[in-house]
Amino acid sequence: MKQFEKEMRKCIKLAQKGIGMTSPNPMVGCVIMNSANEIVSTGYHRACGLAHAERDALLKSGDFRGCTLVVNLEPCSHYGKTPPCADLIIEKGIKAVVYGMKDPNPKVAGKGIRKLKDAGINIIGPVLEEECKKLNEVFYKNHTQRKTFVALKTATTIDGKISTKSGDSKWITSEKSRNEVKKIRKFYDAILTSSSTIIADNPSMLHKNKIILDRELKTDLDFNIYKNGNIYVFYSEDKNNTLELKQSKRPDIKYIKTPSDDKKLNISFILKKLYHFGIMSVLVESGGSLNGSFLPHIDKLYHFIAPKILGDNSGKSCFDGLITDKISQCTNLKFESSKIFGDDILVIYSK
């Protein structure tokens, strides 16, 4: 199957063109080759509701009878917002299908491959399965665990500080790093922060969906973060409020009563609610206290490190509230990759 790895990598690259546009669907790319192994058509899933990658490639001009179709995810076999790709593949006379990974969606889950096999199409795969799973790690978790994928972003000095004791944090990392953060946000359905971060920094956090954890309802609509996007505010169920009036004025803001544990909002409850609302992935950008609370729940960590040192008693940690007596109690992460942005380094870890 190594003979198809080059084409599968091309599928992955094509799929990435749909970053930030396909949720809750996966990112998928497709390559079609003729009998001489020449690429005669390509396609990708551009956005949720639009044609799937196979359909995008197959509906372009050309005769695809006897061709080989390469796709990073098993072709679908059910009707959704678009007709089944497996049916079109059969109709177009494709001879062989090379797939990267099986679809974890129970509606498909091998049914697409079985339908193609029953039609006499040669099935080859999986090819570069782990790379294909990594590409659609959000989609994979959504369907195997029925949970929202959680990523966390930090930006620290070499000694792990996110600000001085007084709260000064502008700017620890470089402009290049901050621009990369804007790109990272596009990967996720929503960004999440705390009232403490809003009050301290008054960020805009431009995004279509924003999650605010404001236990005591300390923030108001004058803060920049409320200027755009769909906003979900989680607050303590013990808090007396007159939110109905606020909601009637701003239908783009939804307030959710949330149980608390030790004066902290219950994160498991919040994540279940986000999944219920159709938020399939979230990027946490906040201070050390909320970072520490979210650490047990994360799937990925983006850790920006600037070549600066504040000193042990001169700043706030990026992960507060974690008390461990033994090294064996540490949160263990797996190194995924690293990149350089100016003098800063971004290290990406996964659980």
Side-chain angles (χ1 to χ4, degrees), residues 292-325:
S293 297
F294 257 96
L295 200 54
H297 303 271
I298 68 168
D299 299 286
K300 184 185 288 286
L301 171 65
Y302 298 92
H303 188 43
F304 287 87
I305 306 170
K308 300 172 183 176
I309 298 173
L310 268 177
D312 188 47
N313 295 314
S314 304
K316 298 180 180 180
S317 169
C318 60
F319 295 111
D320 281 341
L322 297 176
I323 301 173
T324 53
D325 297 320

Side-chain angles (χ1 to χ4, degrees), residues 235-297:
Y235 68 98
S236 175
E237 61 186 3
D238 299 325
K239 179 72 177 175
N240 292 322
N241 63 85
T242 55
L243 294 180
E244 290 78 8
L245 180 60
K246 286 185 179 180
Q247 283 182 287
S248 66
K249 292 181 179 179
R250 290 286 301 275
D252 55 328
I253 302 177
K254 185 176 183 66
Y255 292 86
I256 304 102
K257 285 186 177 182
T258 308
S260 299
D261 303 315
D262 294 328
K263 296 185 177 181
K264 291 183 178 181
L265 295 177
N266 186 297
I267 292 175
S268 294
F269 173 90
I270 292 168
L271 291 176
K272 286 179 182 178
K273 280 291 185 182
L274 292 183
Y275 187 83
H276 174 75
F277 293 145
I279 303 294
M280 297 292 100
S281 60
V282 63
L283 177 67
V284 179
E285 295 188 61
S286 194
S289 179
L290 191 59
N291 286 350
S293 297
F294 257 96
L295 200 54
H297 303 271

Side-chain angles (χ1 to χ4, degrees), residues 161-177:
K161 302 299 190 296
I162 58 173
S163 72
T164 63
K165 286 285 188 182
S166 65
D168 180 37
S169 61
K170 293 190 170 120
W171 293 103
I172 287 177
T173 52
S174 66
E175 185 175 359
K176 288 183 178 180
S177 292

Side-chain angles (χ1 to χ4, degrees), residues 140-160:
Y140 190 79
K141 180 179 180 180
N142 295 161
H143 285 284
T144 58
Q145 299 182 39
R146 299 187 64 80
K147 291 181 179 179
T148 295
F149 187 96
V150 182
L152 191 153
K153 187 275 297 181
T154 64
T156 76
T157 58
I158 290 175
D159 50 341

